[in-house]
Amino acid sequence: MAEIDHFMPLLMQHEEEGLICPVMSHGSVHFMWIKHSNLYLVATTNKNSNASLVYSFLYKLVEVFTEYFKELEEESIQDNFVVVYELLDELMDFGFPQTTDSKILQEYITQEGAKLEVAKTKVPTTVTNAVSWRSEGIKYKKNEVFIDVIESINVLVRWNVNANGSVMSSDIVGSIKLKTMLSGMPELRLGLNDRVLFALTGRDKGKTVVMEDVKFHQCVRLSRFESDRTISFIPPDGESELMSYRINTHVKPLIWIESVIEKFSHSRVEIMVKAKGQFKKQSVANNVEVRVPVPSDADSPKFKTSTGNAKYVPEKNLVVWTIKSFPGGKEFLMRAHFGLPSVENDEMEGKPPITVKFEIPYFTVSGIQVRYMKIIEKSGYQALPWVRYITQSGDYQLRTNV
């Protein structure tokens, strides 16, 4: 039990030496750790353990605690240490992860101390069932399932001296999220325009996508997917992430940014930023934020925008240009003027990238589509599936050498 006392001195030593590492060793004991807000979650082992399993468990721990305490920080652990002990007791036994589904845990570990003792005697059968992520006897007046297809675009554009921008790297990271409000134990089948499936069935028509690094929720029958690419599952109740995927493809930046930075007689700097929507005219990007770095010694900001508004955030050395609604095919301008008391710093400073945040509803870059969602339940009720598509910015950077 005293081994954990070596963790913080070891971490501080590594930080001083600039050798910070997710796995650290002291004697025969290995520390695997993650940091969440002001907390360190540390797992110890003296064996050659499966590191991926340990990290998956630590992140699951954060997820469960956040679900229980809303905010996971030092204070929430101190205020709820009885519940934390109860949860740890259920989450892991003898170093093996056990019940890690927060919805199931909430059925018999509650936050009211008085209820805790009563509830403990009646552990839900779900814990020992084959379907450990869904309880029996769920009832809804209206049976519905909401499907969100959310894609994040990662793009890196580099500008050279001749002001030509080229895409250095790009990919799409997607996830399919469910909100299930279905009675009983329904069996769901989801069909996508998956190229491998179309090739298997000989229907290689229309737009298809090639998904890589596909990761499923534990409810999906993997053997079925591997044999005929059918995504078949009994869903968890409420909200869950059914699957995530990556599409490694050349993505045209949806919002193209050009910037010109001019310095005048070492006294002021003028920045002009042009933003252009390179997506369909019928689509609209919402809550667009263009973050433009400025020198750390800049002052006296003045702005002019053709739409939206710009503000200076001195603590981050940024200008944030916000556009509530950005239609496809449109072009907007922002000009910023700053005073520069001294320019000597500037040569030493790095050149951080311009970053862009946005969200485009009813649209996916990859063209992925939900072709069908079949809902089968023994009572034979009718259920409505609803589908929504969203594209958003992921790691979206424009770097300049100028």
Side-chain angles (χ1 to χ4, degrees):
M1 290 300 285
E3 283 295 341
I4 194 68
D5 297 342
H6 302 297
F7 173 73
M8 279 318 282
L10 201 60
L11 182 69
M12 286 158 84
Q13 182 193 326
H14 279 232
E15 275 179 349
E16 279 167 24
E17 293 167 3
L19 299 169
I20 200 148
C21 178
V23 181
M24 299 187 299
S25 302
H26 178 267
S28 62
V29 176
H30 309 291
F31 299 107
M32 286 177 261
W33 61 280
I34 61 171
K35 190 178 183 188
H36 181 86
S37 58
N38 58 357
L39 287 175
Y40 289 94
L41 288 91
V42 188
T44 57
T45 178
N46 54 10
K47 295 184 180 143
N48 185 12
S49 298
N50 179 342
S52 298
L53 172 72
V54 175
Y55 283 108
S56 295
F57 180 77
L58 289 175
Y59 283 111
K60 195 72 192 173
L61 212 58
V62 171
E63 204 181 295
V64 170
F65 287 163
T66 307
E67 192 95 5
Y68 265 81
F69 314 134
K70 301 298 170 248
E71 292 291 329
L72 176 58
E73 49 196 31
E74 189 179 352
E75 202 178 324
S76 53
I77 296 290
Q78 287 170 341
D79 293 349
N80 299 282
F81 74 91
V82 174
V83 180
V84 169
Y85 272 111
E86 287 279 339
L87 286 169
L88 289 172
D89 199 36
E90 294 299 332
L91 285 159
M92 177 168 277
D93 269 335
F94 303 105
F96 294 101
Q98 301 295 317
T99 308
T100 57
D101 194 302
S102 54
K103 286 190 180 70
I104 303 302
L105 287 164
Q106 279 169 348
E107 287 187 26
Y108 63 107
I109 294 182
T110 59
Q111 274 157 296
E112 293 86 28
K115 279 189 188 173
L116 213 59
E117 296 308 308
V118 185
K120 252 170 68 177
T121 56
K122 209 176 124 195
V123 173
T125 52
T126 319
V127 173
T128 53
N129 276 1
V131 184
S132 63
W133 54 88
R134 186 180 177 89
S135 302
E136 288 177 9
I138 295 170
K139 284 189 175 69
Y140 284 98
K141 278 184 182 174
K142 191 177 181 185
N143 291 291
E144 295 176 302
V145 57
F146 297 87
I147 307 157
D148 277 357
V149 181
I150 301 167
E151 289 192 338
S152 298
I153 304 178
N154 300 325
V155 172
L156 174 59
V157 175
R158 188 177 288 283
W159 288 88
N160 60 23
V161 181
N162 306 321
N164 294 324
S166 56
V167 177
M168 305 298 287
S169 67
S170 65
D171 68 354
I172 300 163
V173 177
S175 71
I176 297 181
K177 296 190 174 175
L178 297 180
K179 186 177 182 184
T180 312
M181 296 192 286
L182 298 172
S183 308
M185 277 282 180
E187 168 91 26
L188 272 59
R189 281 183 208 147
L190 178 71
L192 304 170
N193 56 336
D194 171 12
R195 189 170 299 174
V196 180
L197 168 67
F198 276 43
L200 277 172
T201 53
R203 292 178 301 177
D204 213 349
K205 292 171 189 163
K207 186 164 173 64
T208 55
V209 293
V210 179
M211 296 185 290
E212 297 176 47
D213 299 342
V214 180
K215 190 175 96 180
F216 288 113
H217 185 279
Q218 70 191 80
C219 67
V220 175
R221 296 185 178 88
L222 293 179
S223 54
R224 184 85 193 268
F225 179 76
E226 280 160 11
S227 65
D228 62 8
R229 303 293 280 193
T230 302
I231 301 169
S232 162
F233 57 98
I234 294 169
D237 187 43
E239 294 180 10
S240 60
E241 183 175 273
L242 178 70
M243 63 181 284
S244 61
Y245 58 88
R246 189 174 60 83
I247 295 173
N248 200 356
T249 181
H250 180 81
V251 181
K252 185 169 81 170
L254 296 179
I255 293 179
W256 185 255
I257 302 287
E258 290 177 23
S259 72
V260 177
I261 299 170
E262 288 184 279
K263 291 195 179 109
F264 293 92
S265 63
H266 303 302
S267 64
R268 71 185 200 274
V269 62
E270 291 196 358
I271 300 166
M272 190 210 62
V273 177
K274 184 165 79 174
K276 186 180 178 184
Q278 299 195 126
F279 48 93
K280 292 174 187 169
K281 285 182 182 172
Q282 59 265 40
S283 293
V284 175
N286 297 330
N287 304 320
V288 177
E289 260 187 29
V290 182
R291 295 167 169 249
V292 185
V294 295
S296 59
D297 52 359
D299 61 14
S300 324
K302 289 178 193 155
F303 302 112
K304 206 174 186 179
T305 61
S306 60
T307 189
N309 58 66
K311 67 171 183 185
Y312 177 42
V313 186
E315 63 273 19
K316 292 183 178 172
N317 300 325
L318 282 178
V319 170
V320 180
W321 178 21
T322 310
I323 304 165
K324 267 260 181 270
S325 181
F326 195 135
K330 293 281 185 199
E331 199 168 292
F332 299 117
L333 275 177
M334 186 270 289
R335 291 179 187 276
H337 174 286
F338 286 90
L340 280 181
S342 70
V343 85
E344 283 154 40
N345 272 357
D346 189 48
E347 308 310 316
M348 302 298 291
E349 284 181 5
K351 295 192 173 85
I354 294 173
T355 58
V356 187
K357 278 176 75 180
F358 59 85
E359 190 173 276
I360 307 172
Y362 320 115
F363 170 77
T364 57
V365 193
S366 67
I368 195 168
Q369 287 174 345
V370 174
R371 289 173 49 248
Y372 64 82
M373 167 67 94
K374 289 179 183 167
I375 301 161
I376 306 146
E377 214 277 332
K378 61 185 177 192
S379 64
Y381 60 70
Q382 291 298 305
L384 292 169
W386 304 90
V387 184
R388 181 171 64 164
Y389 298 97
I390 300 168
T391 291
Q392 58 191 23
S393 55
D395 187 8
Y396 200 102
Q397 296 188 3
L398 299 101
R399 292 182 180 270
T400 175
N401 292 337
V402 193

